[in-house]
């Protein structure tokens, strides 16, 4: 809401980050803590919003308020703004509530002109410094306020250094810089048709407007989009008395961290550049020295800096990233903010700050970005590497992998036994599973976040970039064209499933980094959370992995994946090809012992914890080859007969179970026999949950439950639950009727998103959804982050109606959203009992569930910036 004023001095009580931006509130807080900060004031984000709302017009009264504050600044500093003899100079710095490093603009040295620069030279006795400051103003003002291409200025600076035969800016003398200001003024005139404005107040007003405008520059928009920062926050503007790091050898500028931002270790981390202004460090024009070197050069300022770092960390109770300047031996802090850090550093810092008594366990848990944990579970691309991206797709399954490209699953399986390979496909099908297992990573041209490739890769913890539409494959020639380069079988690429990037050639990787800090923080998270966390796993190996990561059961075992093994597929195909029930049963009898042994393995790996087994779900044609590869005319006919225009809406899920009850019957028998065998072997009865997919009508579940119960009774006695997936809108709406026949519900939000939104989960992301996201029709990919107001509302209805008839109905989620932090928070709020996600996301879900509980119980204020 608009307040009655737009400007606050650093030394007066005001608002927090939202009003003053991160930089402004930091400067005010530091001033009030007694940390040395130059004098100044902040124009609020309210003013920016008012400016934008009025069509880029400064709100009434703002200019007067700025003039008043300048007058106070003049009093404090004893200098006058616009004075020719000993001018007050200021910087104008952007600063939004959410940190957007380097995205918006800053202008330094405002207040100089042809006369004032001479005055500055005289009053400081340093002509070189005065002209160095002036040429910087001309360039920054030209670039930021008038949009002149930076290159025009930089080229002339480079030319000058070349003609003088020197390397560094600092090697230029006062005359050189004086000459350069003349050249820069001419560039300004050529580009704008006007003289550079000599009036300090005009400079200031135009600079403030330019910083407001920079909120909407394209790079800031892209950054906001990438980081889901709302577009209407606006930026504050800080007007700060200039302090000068470019006054000679006893001056300088630098940045430092209170702990190592890549490891979290305590120590001195930072860089320092003598005789320079801040932008020299940022622009990388000169190579800074390690901060340690400052100790000898400027011992007093150094000691004060070290002390201030500790003060700030104690005050903010978080690791800080600090910018400072030393002017002739005197230290000034220009900025402090919570430091960006790697996941490993975030964990180490959280654990050590808790040990140091700086923060509580709750805060430590609340500080870690759950999404960042992925970084630690997989090999990663060295974050310091500078690389050319050849293509980009969806970040479908995190981690990086490199290997030779192969174009089909058989070759992947063959070559993958001896060397690392990346399976590159238009898209994958369950048929490719052996190739996916053998490959180091998977790259697909089509498909989204819930495509086969993405789901399976996440389950295996294998890197996957999906839907890289810029890649094209010539399967016959066995080549792929990636970013203009054509590669043949065996040529090396690297994929980064965490960012969706693809690189040509091999890129250096760093290994996974699970360590004690990780275990400590997750252990604390487990103490706080209410939601249980299970995993989606289909094999004993994945089950064991899931358990290692802390899973408290299996929430979804997809049985179809078990039908694709080399010895099984022909039997499955025989079952599908059979002319009658008798023929089908014969094939199913052969499959039964195989299924049984799968279940035994999984039950044993999850002893003491529940295992939800879902009966067959996909359309049968997925088990048959493409028509052209069919063995004979009979198979071709069968393939044609099974073909459906929309197989995802076709003969699949419980519809199969009703039409071919012998299939589900076989699966249930296998489950019961496995449970009994494991009980006998281990003395512990598995906690069996049998789940029916794609139920939309209570009658479907009623019949299937009957079939399930009868089959179980025929086989023997086991404890079990029988429940259903809730993955169709109708099932949500009629959840009360369905609940009559269910012991539990498990939300299949992949299909529920597909059917509620009418977005194909196979195609949408490669097609219109990309456009929707790029053009802000949608803020997030609904297959990745649950669409809370649509799909979430359906879930809410289902929870209420389901529990209205059965208070004890157990509820969980097993769609991909069960492993996404925001969606986990939503599931907590809905009151689900558990979330289930791929094994590698279990740690993330444990942490997100704890954060949801902490937020609800009032520890919310601790959910801090951090990583
Ligand atoms: C779902 O639809 O959310 C689900 C978990 O099942 P699947 O992805 O196997 O269709
Ligand atoms: Mg489903």
């Amino acid at each position: 809401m608009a307040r009655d004023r737009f400007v606050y001095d650093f030394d007066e009580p005001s608002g927090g980050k939202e009003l003053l931006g991160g930089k402004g509130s930091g400067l005010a807080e530091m001033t009030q803590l007694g940390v040395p900060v130059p004098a100044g004031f902040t124009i609020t984000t309210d003013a920016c919003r008012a400016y934008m709302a009025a069509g880029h017009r400064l709100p009434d009264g703002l200019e007067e308020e700025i003039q008043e504050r300048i007058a106070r600044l003049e009093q404090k500093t004893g200098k006058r703004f616009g004075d020719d003899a000993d001018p007050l100079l200021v910087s104008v710095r952007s600063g939004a509530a959410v940190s957007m490093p380097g995205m918006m603009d800053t202008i330094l040295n405002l207040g100089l002109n042809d006369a004032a620069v001479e005055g500055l030279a005289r009053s400081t006795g340093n002509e070189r410094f005065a002209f160095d400051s002036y040429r910087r103003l001309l360039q920054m003002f030209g670039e930021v306020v008038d949009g002149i291409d930076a290159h025009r200025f930089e080229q002339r600076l480079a030319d000058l250094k070349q003609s003088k035969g020197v390397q560094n800016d600092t090697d230029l003398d006062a005359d050189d810089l004086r000459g350069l200001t003349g050249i820069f003024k001419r560039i300004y005139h050529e580009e704008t048709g006007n003289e550079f404005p000599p009036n300090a107040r005009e400079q200031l007003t135009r600079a403030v407007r330019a910083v407001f405008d920079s909120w909407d520059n394209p790079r800031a928009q892209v950054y906001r989009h990438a980081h889901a920062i709302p577009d209407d926050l606006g930026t504050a503007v800080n007007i700060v008395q200039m302090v000068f790091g470019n006054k000679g050898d006893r001056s300088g500028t630098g940045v430092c961290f209170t702990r190592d931002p890549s490891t979290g270790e305590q120590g001195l981390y930072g860089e320092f550049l003598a005789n320079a202004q801040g932008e020299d460090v940022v622009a990388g024009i000169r190579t800074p020295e390690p901060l340690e070197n400052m100790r000898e050069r400027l011992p007093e300022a150094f000691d004060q800096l070290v002390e201030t770092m500790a003060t700030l960390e104690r005050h903010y109770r978080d690791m800080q990233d600090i910018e400072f300047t030393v002017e002739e031996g005197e230290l000034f802090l220009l900025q402090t903010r919570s430091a960006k850090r790697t996941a490993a550093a975030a964990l180490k810092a959280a654990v050590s700050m808790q040990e140091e008594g700086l923060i509580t366990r709750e805060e430590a848990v609340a500080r870690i970005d759950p999404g960042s944990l992925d970084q630690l579970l997989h090999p990663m691309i060295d974050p310091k590497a500078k690389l050319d991206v050849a293509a980009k797709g969806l970040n479908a399954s995190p981690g990086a992998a490199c290997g030779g490209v192969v174009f089909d699953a058989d070759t992947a399986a063959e070559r993958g036994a001896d060397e690392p390979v990346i399976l590159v496909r238009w898209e994958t099908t369950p048929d490719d599973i052996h190739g996916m297992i053998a490959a180091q990573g998977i790259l697909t041209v089509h498909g989204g976040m819930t495509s086969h490739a993405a789901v399976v890769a996440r389950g295996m913890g294998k890197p996957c970039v999906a839907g890289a539409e810029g890649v094209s494959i010539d399967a016959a020639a066995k080549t792929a064209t990636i970013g203009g380069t054509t590669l043949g079988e065996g040529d090396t690429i690297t994929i980064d499933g965490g960012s969706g990037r693809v690189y040509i050639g091999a890129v250096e990787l760093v290994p996974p980094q699970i360590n004690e800090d990780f275990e400590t923080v997750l252990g604390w998270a487990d103490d706080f959370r209410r939601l249980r966390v299970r995993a989606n796993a289909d094999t004993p190996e994945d089950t064991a992995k899931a358990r290692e990561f802390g899973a408290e059961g299996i929430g979804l075992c997809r049985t179809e994946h078990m039908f694709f093994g080399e010895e099984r597929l022909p039997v499955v195909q025989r079952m599908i090809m059979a002319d009658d029930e008798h023929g089908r049963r014969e094939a199913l009898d052969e499959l039964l012992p195989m299924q049984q042994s799968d279940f035994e393995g999984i039950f044993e790996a999850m002893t003491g914890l529940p295992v939800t087994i879902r009966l067959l779900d996909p359309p049968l044609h997925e088990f048959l080859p493409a028509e052209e590869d069919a063995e004979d005319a009979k198979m071709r006919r069968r393939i044609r007969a099974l073909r459906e225009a929309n197989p995802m809406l076709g003969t699949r899920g419980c519809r199969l179970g009703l039409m071919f009850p012998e299939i589900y019957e076989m699966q249930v028998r296998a489950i019961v026999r496995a449970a009994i065998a494991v009980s006998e072997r281990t003395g512990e009865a598995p906690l069996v949950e049998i789940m029916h997919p794609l139920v939309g009508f209570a009658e479907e579940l009623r019949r299937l439950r009957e079939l399930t119960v009868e089959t179980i009774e025929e086989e023997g006695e086991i404890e079990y639950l029988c429940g259903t997936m809730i993955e169709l809108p109708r099932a949500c709406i009629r959840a009360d009727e369905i609940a009559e026949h269910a012991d539990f519900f498990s939300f299949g939000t992949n299909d529920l998103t597909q059917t509620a939104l009418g977005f194909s989960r196979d195609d949408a992301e490669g097609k219109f959804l990309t456009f929707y996201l790029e053009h802000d029709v949608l803020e997030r990919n609904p297959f990745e982050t649950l669409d809370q107001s649509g799909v979430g509302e359906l879930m809410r209805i289902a929870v209420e109606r389901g529990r209205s008839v059965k208070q004890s109905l157990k509820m969980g989620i097993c769609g991909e959203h069960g492993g996404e932090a925001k969606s986990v928070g939503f599931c907590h709020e809905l009151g689900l009992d558990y979330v289930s996600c791929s094994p590698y996301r279990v740690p993330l879900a444990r942490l997100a569930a704890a954060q949801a509980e902490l937020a609800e119980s009032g520890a919310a204020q601790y959910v801090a910036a951090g990583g």
Side-chain angles (χ1 to χ4, degrees):
M1 246 329 37
R3 291 163 175 82
D4 56 353
R5 54 190 285 201
F6 288 125
V7 183
Y8 293 87
D9 278 356
F10 294 161
D11 58 6
E12 65 183 330
S14 48
K17 265 191 191 174
E18 240 169 69
L19 184 67
L20 300 178
K23 187 176 288 164
S25 70
L27 285 163
E29 243 174 283
M30 286 196 286
T31 304
Q32 290 161 39
L33 267 177
V35 168
V37 168
F41 56 87
T42 303
I43 305 171
T44 63
T45 53
D46 276 350
C48 180
R49 284 189 292 269
Y51 172 81
M52 293 191 293
H56 294 232
R57 213 178 58 79
L58 292 177
D60 289 342
L62 177 60
E63 281 185 272
E64 292 73 16
E65 270 191 71
I66 294 175
Q67 295 316 330
E68 265 172 46
R69 298 296 158 156
I70 286 284
R72 284 177 66 177
L73 202 53
E74 290 176 333
Q75 261 174 12
K76 276 184 200 152
T77 59
K79 296 178 189 233
R80 289 180 53 77
F81 191 51
D83 188 30
D84 285 351
D86 182 15
L88 165 67
L89 303 186
V90 297
S91 63
V92 174
R93 295 165 186 269
S94 58
V98 185
S99 157
M100 297 169 50
M103 291 301 125
M104 290 175 298
D105 291 321
T106 284
I107 306 174
L108 306 179
N109 307 330
L110 280 151
L112 283 175
N113 56 35
D114 287 353
V117 70
E118 304 287 357
L120 185 66
R122 275 195 305 277
S123 67
T124 58
N126 190 339
E127 189 184 358
R128 186 197 177 282
F129 152 72
F131 279 93
D132 187 44
S133 303
Y134 193 26
R135 63 99 187 170
R136 290 170 190 269
L137 169 65
L138 291 164
Q139 172 166 356
M140 279 195 234
F141 193 93
E143 281 170 37
V144 173
V145 178
D146 293 286
I148 300 171
D149 185 352
H151 188 69
R152 288 222 54 191
F153 297 107
E154 279 155 13
Q155 188 59 49
R156 300 309 295 265
L157 177 60
D159 291 348
L160 178 61
K161 283 194 280 190
Q162 203 186 12
S163 72
K164 294 269 298 182
V166 298
Q167 276 280 323
N168 294 320
D169 299 0
T170 41
D171 297 328
L172 298 172
D173 63 22
D175 284 341
D176 297 330
L177 294 166
R178 182 188 284 273
L180 199 60
T181 58
I183 294 170
F184 281 11
K185 278 185 286 179
R186 272 201 299 286
I187 293 176
Y188 187 91
H189 187 256
E190 278 166 29
E191 291 281 337
T192 65
N194 295 311
E195 296 299 332
F196 173 75
N199 183 295
R201 285 179 161 70
E202 182 187 340
Q203 289 173 9
L204 182 59
T205 308
R206 291 185 57 192
V208 169
R209 297 177 59 118
V211 172
F212 281 161
D213 290 335
S214 73
W215 174 257
D216 271 333
N217 72 31
R219 64 170 191 266
Q221 288 186 24
V222 169
Y223 186 92
R224 286 201 293 275
H225 202 251
H227 293 80
I229 300 170
D231 278 326
D232 56 2
L233 293 180
T235 179
V237 183
N238 303 289
I239 314 287
V240 192
Q241 177 200 1
M242 281 302 304
V243 287
F244 295 99
N246 57 338
K247 264 190 175 172
D249 286 345
R250 295 199 57 245
S251 302
T253 185
V255 293
C256 58
F257 295 88
T258 55
R259 299 177 194 232
D260 185 331
S262 53
T263 66
E265 301 282 351
Q266 257 180 322
L268 265 190
Y269 297 91
E271 294 179 324
F272 178 73
L273 200 52
N275 195 12
Q277 278 194 325
E279 83 270 17
D280 297 339
V281 182
V282 181
I285 296 168
R286 283 163 52 200
T287 309
E289 307 170 49
L291 188 61
E292 187 61 39
N293 292 10
M294 190 181 146
R295 190 195 294 270
E296 228 166 84
R297 239 184 242 261
L298 297 163
E300 277 168 31
F302 180 82
D303 289 347
Q304 200 186 359
L305 177 65
V306 171
E307 203 178 292
T308 308
M309 281 163 75
T311 307
L312 289 173
E313 201 182 77
R314 264 199 314 277
H315 175 74
Y316 285 102
R317 302 155 78 228
D318 195 10
M319 180 173 160
Q320 297 294 295
D321 164 356
I322 292 165
E323 285 177 24
F324 65 92
T325 282
V326 181
E327 178 175 332
E328 298 187 315
E330 191 178 351
L331 175 75
F332 293 94
L333 271 80
L334 303 183
Q335 174 162 321
T336 189
R337 61 185 168 197
S338 144
K340 292 247 183 278
R341 63 203 82 171
T342 62
L347 289 167
K348 156 101 27 237
V351 171
S352 28
M353 284 188 196
Q354 193 276 337
E355 282 164 1
E356 291 157 27
L358 218 54
I359 59 174
T360 61
R361 289 179 177 193
E362 285 83 349
E363 284 172 288
V365 165
R367 284 222 178 138
I368 310 296
D369 170 11
S372 73
L373 294 184
D374 259 344
Q375 286 177 22
L376 305 171
L377 305 179
H378 305 276
M380 270 207 325
I381 287 182
D382 185 343
K384 290 188 213 90
K386 289 211 161 43
L387 302 165
D388 289 330
V389 179
K392 182 128 185 14
L394 297 166
N395 50 338
S397 177
C402 93
V405 297
V406 290
F407 300 101
D408 64 90
D410 291 340
T411 313
E414 232 165 78
R415 289 181 79 138
D418 311 315
E419 56 186 300
V421 296
I422 307 285
L423 180 61
V424 182
R425 302 279 287 157
W426 287 104
E427 66 227 327
T428 61
T429 67
D431 236 353
D432 293 326
I433 194 78
H434 57 302
M436 298 173 77
I437 291 169
Q440 241 50 41
I442 296 132
L443 168 63
T444 67
V445 182
H446 300 312
M449 296 299 283
T450 63
S451 64
H452 178 266
V455 170
V456 172
R458 277 200 291 277
M460 297 193 231
K462 196 157 278 196
C464 172
V465 174
E469 301 271 340
V471 173
S472 80
I473 299 173
D474 183 337
K478 294 205 168 195
T479 60
T481 306
I482 304 178
T485 309
T486 299
L487 302 171
E489 196 169 87
D491 290 346
T492 305
I493 62 169
T494 302
I495 63 168
D496 179 357
S499 68
R501 297 194 177 113
V502 182
Y503 307 92
I504 308 283
V507 172
E508 193 81 35
L509 305 184
V510 292
Q513 307 165 52
I514 295 193
N515 57 20
E516 217 175 296
D517 301 324
F518 179 93
E519 302 291 354
T520 305
V521 171
L522 281 161
W524 293 339
D526 292 342
D527 293 340
F528 300 139
R529 70 189 157 88
R530 179 189 60 72
L531 266 181
R532 308 265 98 193
V533 177
R534 298 195 193 182
N536 296 354
D538 320 326
T539 63
E541 295 74 40
D542 286 356
T543 306
K545 190 94 213 148
R547 209 162 180 167
E548 208 178 288
F549 286 146
E552 298 161 296
I554 298 293
L556 174 63
C557 168
R558 291 178 166 101
T559 49
E560 54 269 22
H561 293 165
M562 301 167 180
F563 282 14
F564 280 100
E566 226 172 302
E567 2 150 16
R568 303 173 184 201
L569 195 58
V571 189
V572 175
Q573 290 178 346
R574 223 168 345 108
M575 187 262 299
I576 299 171
M577 295 299 300
D579 296 319
D580 53 18
E581 187 186 324
H582 179 72
R584 276 194 297 278
R585 280 192 184 274
E586 261 181 11
L588 287 164
D589 284 347
E590 252 182 82
L591 283 172
L592 193 147
M594 304 181 197
Q595 280 262 272
Q596 182 183 334
S597 83
D598 296 329
F599 296 144
E600 286 182 27
I602 291 170
F603 289 147
E604 282 192 57
M606 260 305 154
T607 321
L609 294 169
V611 175
T612 308
I613 296 173
R614 183 183 70 189
L615 305 185
L616 194 69
D617 182 36
L620 292 183
H621 75 79
E622 284 198 12
F623 298 100
L624 296 180
E627 192 180 339
E628 56 274 23
D629 300 330
E631 277 165 22
D632 52 27
K634 185 179 175 200
M635 192 178 257
R636 270 195 294 282
R637 269 200 308 282
R638 192 86 182 112
I639 291 168
R640 279 200 294 274
L642 286 173
R643 184 170 295 148
E644 292 173 316
N646 288 313
M648 278 305 220
L649 304 178
T651 315
R652 58 171 283 221
C654 67
R655 301 160 199 173
L656 278 175
L658 289 165
M659 288 171 71
F660 309 103
E662 54 279 7
I663 300 179
Y664 279 18
E665 199 190 300
M666 178 280 283
Q667 292 196 290
V668 173
R669 274 187 215 290
I671 294 170
V672 181
R673 290 183 193 178
I676 292 173
V678 170
S679 275
E680 283 169 1
R681 203 157 48 236
T682 65
E684 194 157 355
L687 305 178
V688 178
E689 303 182 345
I690 297 172
M691 178 156 77
H692 295 279
L694 218 73
V695 165
F697 296 85
E699 181 60 15
E700 292 169 326
L701 189 61
R702 190 193 67 74
R703 291 187 186 197
L704 289 172
R705 185 181 181 103
E706 204 172 86
L707 172 85
T708 307
V709 172
E710 278 170 11
T711 309
I712 292 173
E713 281 168 2
E714 279 171 32
E715 285 296 323
E717 225 178 273
I718 60 161
E719 292 269 340
Y720 67 94
L721 299 179
C722 176
T724 179
M725 306 265 310
I726 298 288
E727 50 185 344
L728 294 174
R730 191 180 197 284
C732 295
I733 291 167
R734 310 306 289 186
D736 43 355
E737 295 165 2
I738 292 174
E740 304 275 2
H741 311 286
D743 303 321
F744 64 87
F745 280 178
S746 178
F747 288 99
T749 46
N750 303 333
D751 274 309
L752 190 57
T753 300
Q754 163 165 269
T755 48
L757 275 62
F759 284 9
S760 160
R761 58 190 270 194
D762 296 323
D763 304 320
E765 285 145 303
K767 301 289 190 300
F768 65 92
L769 189 51
T770 316
F771 175 92
Y772 269 33
L773 294 169
E774 276 168 8
H775 293 80
D776 293 327
V777 181
L778 287 181
E779 238 174 69
R780 288 167 187 279
N781 177 349
F783 288 108
E784 201 177 335
T785 306
L786 193 80
D787 162 39
Q788 292 185 15
S789 56
V791 175
E793 210 44 38
L794 285 167
M795 292 170 72
R796 199 185 295 280
I797 291 170
V799 170
E800 277 166 20
R801 296 193 182 169
R803 291 211 168 121
S804 74
V805 298
K806 213 175 253 181
Q807 191 57 42
S808 64
L809 197 64
K810 183 152 49 155
M811 299 212 196
I813 177 176
C814 63
E816 289 302 301
H817 305 91
E820 192 274 332
K822 278 203 168 57
S823 314
V824 171
F826 180 74
C827 293
H828 170 92
E829 189 201 307
L830 272 189
L832 299 193
D833 298 296
Y834 66 87
V835 297
S836 186
C837 54
S838 62
Y840 282 83
R841 287 186 168 192
V842 165
L844 175 162
R846 288 161 66 195
L847 186 58
Q851 292 184 349
E853 173 67 30
L854 291 174
E856 188 184 274
S857 67
Q861 71 263 29
Y862 299 138
V863 180

